[in-house]
Amino acid sequence: MNIYQEELLDRYWHPKNRGSVDNASFSATEHNPLCGDTLTITARIEHAILADVKFNGNGCAISQAAADLLTESLTGKTIQNARAFSPDAMRMLLTVPISSAREKCALLALTAFQKGLTSSYAHN
Amino acid sequence: MNSPNNTNTTRAEFPLLAANPALAYLDNAASTQKPKTVLKAMDAFYCTSYANVHRSVYDLSERATAQYEDARGRVARFLNAQPQEIVFTKNATEAINLVAYSFGGGEVREGDEVLVSILEHHANFLPWQRLCARKKARLVVAPANADGTLDETSALALVSPRTKIVALTALSNVIGVPTPLARMIERAHQHGARVIIDGAQAVAHKRIDMRAMDADFFVFSGHKIFGPAGIGVLAARAELLETMQPFIVGGEMVKTVFLDNAEWNDIPWKFEAGTPPIAEAIGLKAALDFIESIGWQRLHTHEQTLTEYALERMRALKGVHIIGPKTFSSGRAPIISFTVNGVHPHDLASILNERHIAIRSGHFCAQPFLNALSYSAAARASFTIYNTRAEVDALIEGIAAAQKIFRV
Ligand SMILES: Cc1ncc(COP(=O)(O)O)c(C=O)c1O
């Protein structure tokens, strides 16, 4: 099956959440060692809720669309719910089947986000 | 005659390719498929002569040892070296690490310099980076020209009396272009530096002659030259091996062991601690027989025809950017890295995969080089004797299809 469905390509071309948030509570960067792509997630937390989440960076259609879907889905979630957001949830969000060779791309944003969330909570 | 225009008869000698007629395997710079003769040689060894080597007096062990040492002799002939100058390793990477540790560890002192080129694969970059950090030596990196080829003038000028080691690839795994080995080696020797040549890519495309090349160390991996994975080769001047300390210690590499010291074995066994990849050595021998049975002239003709054709077709595609020289020149290997405007290399590789075309995408373990050329990732197609013109056509159609999906 062609993973490059209209919705995914549309996300890739016209992301809603590209950029960085103001007064970010944390910023986390993750590299994809397979291709050298870099993705940065910034988020602002207000009253234990993710008030705003955005991504920056360049990469393949899968990693970029995944980042856009993820940041949209996380916005408004409680920290607790966000922390429970799993790789499986990410795969569901993408809807297209992801081969194991593309897992890293699909999960890059989530990995960055979870890393940022963990480190920001380790600090306070 | 094996023309890329006709059905490729060599393909039938590769069981994996024969079993997958629809597959266009275009990732030969990463690793080649294996001919039947290699698989049969390893199978026959396991079925008739397998035992550990250099350890026991019984017939089977003697037979295994004789075949293992015969494989060493075959590698020596292949490189025009002496058997005692051939050390079997796990791969090219391990061979370079061996030289960095055993030779570099003994020779390089604080303030010395190790010269590498920006074109290097991580395997011929990181061992030197680490050695220099450990020894407080300086890692000097020779730059590339704008087209990705080695900036020879700068590279030659960077060799100085402080240079202890020059580590240089014979052929870039990104742009497929050879480096000016002879002049670099001559220059290094004038200044008393030793030279290690990374032959991981070159060995599958051109005849190597250790004596004519005059390098001090030369390394390659079996798996990129139709042999099995798990075996590599370090070829080195005997007098250097004699003075070097072993890299890994343990069984097989030692003559006598006392409680507080040990007497190392003779070269090359001093550098082969533990049970070696025995069947893999025998498989490598069969692989070298295979490539020589094809013949260098026929291989060159086939590779050149395919490379010229692929470069020509890619130049004609709008939005496709070839990394490195865009036209064929003498010595160019069938390795073409490229990018497609608006299509990330990973997405391109996924779309080609749907069409049973295997190419490489990413940074090819040459991040400093790709970054120097302002890329973070690229796609790479690499060909060998079993590839065809029809496969190049399929690649071009696949790229066009990806452009259509991404509307560029
Ligand atoms: C130029 C070059 N050097 C070194 C290597 C490392 O080879 P191996 O992974 O077999 O050790 C490679 C292959 O990946 C290569 O292309």
Side-chain angles (χ1 to χ4, degrees):
Chain A
M1 179 191 166
N2 179 10
I3 55 176
Y4 298 100
Q5 301 293 316
E6 197 58 33
E7 204 199 332
L8 184 129
L9 287 172
D10 193 51
R11 284 273 170 186
Y12 176 50
W13 289 322
H14 311 292
K16 297 172 183 163
N17 288 321
R18 180 182 284 283
S20 51
V21 308
D22 297 329
N23 304 319
S25 311
F26 69 79
S27 165
T29 298
E30 191 67 19
H31 301 273
N32 185 345
L34 288 176
C35 59
D37 287 342
T38 297
L39 203 120
T40 300
I41 299 269
T42 50
R44 189 175 66 252
I45 299 168
E46 290 170 5
H47 312 298
I49 284 179
L50 286 159
D52 199 5
V53 192
K54 285 194 166 18
F55 78 96
N56 246 330
N58 292 305
C60 61
I62 308 287
S63 75
Q64 301 293 290
D68 200 50
L69 285 162
L70 176 72
T71 48
E72 181 181 75
S73 167
L74 288 173
T75 304
K77 275 198 170 33
T78 62
I79 299 298
Q80 211 174 5
N81 283 344
R83 199 176 271 142
F85 199 97
S86 66
D88 273 340
M90 187 67 244
R91 288 187 198 97
M92 298 251 290
L93 211 52
L94 272 165
T95 66
V96 293
I98 299 296
S99 69
S100 56
R102 301 304 298 275
E103 281 262 301
K104 277 253 158 57
C105 312
L107 300 179
L108 194 62
L110 180 62
T111 310
F113 173 78
Q114 294 295 10
K115 196 170 86 177
L117 190 61
T118 307
S119 71
S120 105
Y121 271 73
H123 289 150
N124 53 40
Chain B
M1 180 66 206
N2 185 21
S3 155
N5 291 309
N6 307 331
T7 318
N8 187 312
T9 50
T10 309
R11 201 180 156 97
E13 295 174 40
F14 289 73
L16 185 143
L17 299 175
N20 295 281
L23 172 67
Y25 184 77
L26 308 183
D27 195 16
N28 295 287
S31 205
T32 58
Q33 298 298 334
K34 316 305 169 200
K36 217 178 309 179
T37 49
V38 167
L39 304 175
K40 277 198 170 145
M42 294 174 74
D43 196 50
F45 172 67
Y46 275 125
C47 292
T48 65
S49 311
Y50 182 77
N52 209 330
V53 291
H54 293 301
R55 288 192 183 178
S56 311
V57 296
Y58 53 84
D59 286 354
L60 202 55
S61 175
E62 247 181 53
R63 208 149 65 221
T65 303
Q67 288 197 36
Y68 178 68
E69 292 304 325
D70 178 52
R72 191 191 310 277
R74 181 69 183 89
V75 173
R77 266 203 330 282
F78 183 74
L79 297 176
N80 191 21
Q82 295 299 314
Q84 64 184 26
E85 298 177 311
I86 303 299
V87 176
F88 283 129
T89 63
K90 183 170 69 178
N91 48 35
T93 303
E94 189 183 65
I96 298 168
N97 275 276
L98 189 163
V99 177
Y101 180 90
S102 297
F103 181 75
E107 293 294 314
V108 175
R109 314 233 182 289
E110 184 167 350
D112 286 346
E113 290 180 358
V114 174
L115 177 64
V116 300
S117 89
I118 189 72
L119 284 80
E120 302 312 312
H121 186 280
H122 295 166
N124 199 30
F125 192 81
L126 295 177
W128 308 113
Q129 189 185 69
R130 186 164 74 169
L131 173 72
C132 288
R134 190 153 63 92
K135 295 284 180 174
K136 298 198 175 68
R138 206 159 80 86
L139 183 69
V140 180
V141 184
N145 296 309
D147 70 354
T149 56
L150 182 71
D151 175 349
E152 185 182 336
T153 312
S154 301
L156 289 170
L158 286 170
V159 184
S160 80
R162 286 184 302 279
T163 313
K164 284 286 156 12
I165 297 173
V166 174
L168 184 65
T169 184
L171 180 73
S172 162
N173 66 319
V174 178
I175 61 172
V177 175
T179 55
L181 285 192
R183 291 185 292 275
M184 285 299 291
I185 292 169
E186 192 190 357
R187 176 80 173 193
H189 285 165
Q190 281 166 0
H191 286 281
R194 296 295 185 174
V195 185
I196 172 167
I197 299 301
D198 176 356
Q201 291 297 334
V203 75
H205 304 292
K206 106 183 238 228
R207 170 178 231 131
I208 303 292
D209 183 326
M210 280 297 282
R211 292 280 100 76
M213 183 167 57
D214 200 31
D216 301 291
F217 303 96
F218 179 88
V219 307
F220 73 94
S221 287
H223 70 92
K224 287 187 204 278
I225 185 170
F226 309 113
I231 185 137
V233 168
L234 163 64
R237 289 184 201 281
E239 68 264 28
L240 293 177
L241 289 178
E242 293 285 7
T243 62
M244 285 156 58
Q245 286 299 307
F247 177 41
I248 295 174
V249 293
E252 213 117 57
M253 52 72 66
V254 73
K255 274 184 181 156
T256 328
V257 176
F258 307 98
L259 278 184
D260 56 355
N261 69 354
E263 191 191 338
W264 309 135
N265 204 338
D266 297 330
I267 63 165
W269 305 289
K270 178 168 88 175
F271 297 99
E272 294 181 2
T275 299
I278 310 166
E280 286 74 10
I282 284 145
L284 177 59
K285 172 183 182 232
L288 301 183
D289 289 343
F290 172 80
I291 201 164
E292 288 193 346
S293 77
I294 300 249
W296 291 106
Q297 194 48 53
R298 189 175 142 210
L299 185 67
H300 287 159
T301 306
H302 181 84
E303 291 186 346
Q304 176 170 346
T305 310
L306 272 186
T307 310
E308 282 180 317
Y309 180 60
L311 284 170
E312 177 194 316
R313 293 223 51 193
M314 285 174 102
R315 280 197 306 267
L317 272 181
K318 254 175 96 173
V320 171
H321 182 80
I322 296 165
I323 302 177
K326 288 151 190 59
T327 51
F328 186 85
S329 58
S330 167
R332 167 82 181 235
I335 300 172
I336 305 174
S337 293
F338 60 100
T339 57
V340 180
N341 290 345
V343 188
H344 189 281
H346 270 23
D347 295 321
L348 175 67
S350 280
I351 289 165
L352 292 175
N353 178 54
E354 300 265 316
R355 297 169 156 250
H356 312 291
I357 301 167
I359 63 152
R360 179 75 190 272
S361 59
H363 52 55
F364 321 133
C365 302
Q367 260 181 325
F369 186 39
L370 275 190
N371 291 345
L373 298 174
S374 304
Y375 296 94
S376 66
R380 180 182 71 189
S382 49
F383 312 100
T384 185
I385 190 70
Y386 44 64
N387 292 119
T388 64
R389 217 172 156 100
E391 288 175 317
V392 174
D393 291 335
L395 170 69
I396 300 297
E397 281 161 32
I399 296 171
Q403 288 178 314
K404 208 167 152 205
I405 291 173
F406 278 81
R407 298 190 205 139
V408 287

Short mmCIF file of all heavy atoms in Angstrom, two decimals, chain A residues 29-58:
data_model
loop_
_atom_site.label_atom_id
_atom_site.label_comp_id
_atom_site.label_asym_id
_atom_site.label_seq_id
_atom_site.Cartn_x
_atom_site.Cartn_y
_atom_site.Cartn_z
N THR A 29 15.48 18.33 21.18
CA THR A 29 15.88 18.03 19.81
C THR A 29 16.26 16.56 19.70
O THR A 29 16.90 16.00 20.60
CB THR A 29 17.08 18.91 19.41
OG1 THR A 29 16.66 20.26 19.46
CG2 THR A 29 17.56 18.59 18.01
N GLU A 30 15.82 15.95 18.61
CA GLU A 30 16.17 14.55 18.38
C GLU A 30 16.71 14.41 16.96
O GLU A 30 16.22 15.05 16.03
CB GLU A 30 14.91 13.69 18.58
CG GLU A 30 15.14 12.21 18.63
CD GLU A 30 15.93 11.72 19.86
OE1 GLU A 30 16.01 12.46 20.87
OE2 GLU A 30 16.48 10.61 19.77
N HIS A 31 17.74 13.58 16.83
CA HIS A 31 18.33 13.34 15.50
C HIS A 31 17.92 11.97 15.02
O HIS A 31 17.81 11.03 15.81
CB HIS A 31 19.86 13.37 15.58
CG HIS A 31 20.39 14.67 16.09
ND1 HIS A 31 20.65 15.73 15.27
CD2 HIS A 31 20.70 15.06 17.35
CE1 HIS A 31 21.10 16.74 16.00
NE2 HIS A 31 21.14 16.36 17.27
N ASN A 32 17.72 11.85 13.74
CA ASN A 32 17.53 10.53 13.15
C ASN A 32 18.89 10.08 12.63
O ASN A 32 19.38 10.60 11.64
CB ASN A 32 16.52 10.62 12.00
CG ASN A 32 16.20 9.24 11.44
OD1 ASN A 32 16.92 8.29 11.70
ND2 ASN A 32 15.14 9.16 10.67
N PRO A 33 19.51 9.11 13.31
CA PRO A 33 20.87 8.73 12.92
C PRO A 33 20.93 8.12 11.52
O PRO A 33 21.98 8.07 10.90
CB PRO A 33 21.27 7.71 13.99
CG PRO A 33 19.99 7.19 14.54
CD PRO A 33 18.99 8.30 14.41
N LEU A 34 19.79 7.68 11.01
CA LEU A 34 19.79 7.07 9.68
C LEU A 34 20.00 8.10 8.58
O LEU A 34 20.57 7.81 7.55
CB LEU A 34 18.46 6.36 9.42
CG LEU A 34 18.25 5.08 10.20
CD1 LEU A 34 16.86 4.53 9.93
CD2 LEU A 34 19.30 4.06 9.80
N CYS A 35 19.49 9.30 8.79
CA CYS A 35 19.56 10.27 7.71
C CYS A 35 20.11 11.61 8.14
O CYS A 35 20.31 12.49 7.31
CB CYS A 35 18.19 10.47 7.09
SG CYS A 35 16.97 11.04 8.26
N GLY A 36 20.36 11.79 9.42
CA GLY A 36 20.90 13.06 9.86
C GLY A 36 19.84 14.14 10.04
O GLY A 36 20.16 15.28 10.32
N ASP A 37 18.57 13.78 9.86
CA ASP A 37 17.51 14.76 10.06
C ASP A 37 17.40 15.13 11.53
O ASP A 37 17.65 14.31 12.41
CB ASP A 37 16.16 14.20 9.60
CG ASP A 37 16.09 14.13 8.08
OD1 ASP A 37 16.90 14.80 7.43
OD2 ASP A 37 15.24 13.40 7.58
N THR A 38 16.99 16.37 11.75
CA THR A 38 16.89 16.89 13.11
C THR A 38 15.51 17.48 13.32
O THR A 38 14.98 18.14 12.44
CB THR A 38 17.95 17.98 13.32
OG1 THR A 38 19.22 17.38 13.17
CG2 THR A 38 17.84 18.60 14.69
N LEU A 39 14.92 17.22 14.48
CA LEU A 39 13.60 17.73 14.77
C LEU A 39 13.58 18.30 16.18
O LEU A 39 14.08 17.67 17.12
CB LEU A 39 12.60 16.56 14.67
CG LEU A 39 11.16 16.99 14.39
CD1 LEU A 39 10.70 16.36 13.10
CD2 LEU A 39 10.25 16.58 15.51
N THR A 40 13.05 19.51 16.31
CA THR A 40 12.98 20.14 17.63
C THR A 40 11.52 20.38 18.01
O THR A 40 10.75 20.89 17.20
CB THR A 40 13.74 21.48 17.62
OG1 THR A 40 15.10 21.22 17.29
CG2 THR A 40 13.67 22.16 18.99
N ILE A 41 11.19 19.98 19.21
CA ILE A 41 9.84 20.20 19.73
C ILE A 41 9.93 21.25 20.84
O ILE A 41 10.80 21.16 21.71
CB ILE A 41 9.27 18.89 20.35
CG1 ILE A 41 9.18 17.79 19.30
CG2 ILE A 41 7.94 19.16 21.05
CD1 ILE A 41 7.88 17.70 18.57
N THR A 42 9.06 22.24 20.79
CA THR A 42 8.97 23.17 21.91
C THR A 42 7.54 23.11 22.44
O THR A 42 6.59 22.90 21.67
CB THR A 42 9.30 24.62 21.49
OG1 THR A 42 8.54 24.95 20.33
CG2 THR A 42 10.76 24.79 21.20
N ALA A 43 7.40 23.29 23.75
CA ALA A 43 6.06 23.22 24.35
C ALA A 43 5.95 24.18 25.52
O ALA A 43 6.95 24.44 26.22
CB ALA A 43 5.77 21.79 24.83
N ARG A 44 4.77 24.74 25.69
CA ARG A 44 4.51 25.57 26.86
C ARG A 44 3.47 24.88 27.71
O ARG A 44 2.42 24.46 27.22
CB ARG A 44 4.02 26.97 26.45
CG ARG A 44 3.97 27.93 27.64
CD ARG A 44 3.60 29.35 27.24
NE ARG A 44 2.25 29.43 26.73
CZ ARG A 44 1.96 29.62 25.45
NH1 ARG A 44 2.93 29.75 24.54
NH2 ARG A 44 0.70 29.69 25.06
N ILE A 45 3.81 24.75 28.99
CA ILE A 45 2.91 24.07 29.91
C ILE A 45 2.28 25.11 30.84
O ILE A 45 2.98 25.95 31.39
CB ILE A 45 3.69 23.01 30.75
CG1 ILE A 45 4.29 21.96 29.80
CG2 ILE A 45 2.78 22.34 31.78
CD1 ILE A 45 5.30 21.04 30.44
N GLU A 46 0.97 25.05 30.95
CA GLU A 46 0.26 25.96 31.87
C GLU A 46 -0.69 25.13 32.71
O GLU A 46 -1.54 24.43 32.18
CB GLU A 46 -0.55 27.01 31.07
CG GLU A 46 0.33 28.03 30.35
CD GLU A 46 -0.47 28.91 29.39
OE1 GLU A 46 -1.71 28.79 29.37
OE2 GLU A 46 0.16 29.69 28.68
N HIS A 47 -0.52 25.20 34.04
CA HIS A 47 -1.38 24.46 34.96
C HIS A 47 -1.47 22.98 34.60
O HIS A 47 -2.54 22.42 34.47
CB HIS A 47 -2.79 25.07 35.00
CG HIS A 47 -2.76 26.56 35.16
ND1 HIS A 47 -2.22 27.18 36.28
CD2 HIS A 47 -3.17 27.54 34.33
CE1 HIS A 47 -2.32 28.50 36.12
NE2 HIS A 47 -2.89 28.74 34.96
N ALA A 48 -0.27 22.39 34.35
CA ALA A 48 -0.17 20.96 34.05
C ALA A 48 -0.89 20.55 32.78
O ALA A 48 -1.23 19.40 32.55
CB ALA A 48 -0.64 20.12 35.23
N ILE A 49 -1.09 21.55 31.91
CA ILE A 49 -1.70 21.25 30.61
C ILE A 49 -0.79 21.79 29.51
O ILE A 49 -0.16 22.85 29.68
CB ILE A 49 -3.11 21.87 30.52
CG1 ILE A 49 -4.07 21.02 31.36
CG2 ILE A 49 -3.60 21.98 29.08
CD1 ILE A 49 -5.48 21.51 31.40
N LEU A 50 -0.69 21.04 28.40
CA LEU A 50 0.11 21.50 27.28
C LEU A 50 -0.67 22.58 26.54
O LEU A 50 -1.58 22.29 25.76
CB LEU A 50 0.43 20.33 26.35
CG LEU A 50 1.48 19.36 26.92
CD1 LEU A 50 1.38 18.00 26.25
CD2 LEU A 50 2.89 19.93 26.76
N ALA A 51 -0.29 23.82 26.79
CA ALA A 51 -1.02 24.93 26.20
C ALA A 51 -0.68 25.10 24.73
O ALA A 51 -1.52 25.47 23.92
CB ALA A 51 -0.71 26.21 26.98
N ASP A 52 0.56 24.80 24.39
CA ASP A 52 0.97 24.96 23.00
C ASP A 52 2.16 24.03 22.72
O ASP A 52 3.08 23.93 23.54
CB ASP A 52 1.38 26.42 22.75
CG ASP A 52 1.37 26.78 21.26
OD1 ASP A 52 0.96 25.91 20.44
OD2 ASP A 52 1.77 27.91 20.92
N VAL A 53 2.13 23.35 21.57
CA VAL A 53 3.24 22.47 21.18
C VAL A 53 3.53 22.70 19.70
O VAL A 53 2.61 22.70 18.88
CB VAL A 53 2.89 20.97 21.40
CG1 VAL A 53 4.15 20.11 21.26
CG2 VAL A 53 2.24 20.73 22.74
N LYS A 54 4.80 22.90 19.38
CA LYS A 54 5.16 23.11 17.98
C LYS A 54 6.44 22.34 17.64
O LYS A 54 7.16 21.87 18.52
CB LYS A 54 5.37 24.61 17.73
CG LYS A 54 4.08 25.43 17.65
CD LYS A 54 4.40 26.79 17.07
CE LYS A 54 3.20 27.61 16.62
NZ LYS A 54 1.91 27.26 17.10
N PHE A 55 6.68 22.20 16.34
CA PHE A 55 7.91 21.50 15.91
C PHE A 55 8.64 22.32 14.87
O PHE A 55 8.04 23.12 14.16
CB PHE A 55 7.58 20.10 15.37
CG PHE A 55 7.03 20.12 13.97
CD1 PHE A 55 7.87 19.90 12.88
CD2 PHE A 55 5.69 20.37 13.74
CE1 PHE A 55 7.37 19.93 11.58
CE2 PHE A 55 5.18 20.40 12.44
CZ PHE A 55 6.02 20.17 11.36
N ASN A 56 9.94 22.07 14.78
CA ASN A 56 10.78 22.69 13.76
C ASN A 56 11.76 21.65 13.25
O ASN A 56 12.08 20.69 13.97
CB ASN A 56 11.55 23.87 14.34
CG ASN A 56 11.09 25.17 13.69
OD1 ASN A 56 10.68 25.17 12.53
ND2 ASN A 56 11.16 26.24 14.45
N GLY A 57 12.27 21.87 12.08
CA GLY A 57 13.27 20.95 11.55
C GLY A 57 12.92 20.52 10.16
O GLY A 57 11.84 20.84 9.65
N ASN A 58 13.85 19.77 9.58
CA ASN A 58 13.61 19.28 8.23
C ASN A 58 13.69 17.77 8.23
O ASN A 58 14.42 17.19 9.02
CB ASN A 58 14.67 19.84 7.28
CG ASN A 58 14.49 21.33 7.11
OD1 ASN A 58 13.41 21.79 6.75
ND2 ASN A 58 15.54 22.07 7.42
#
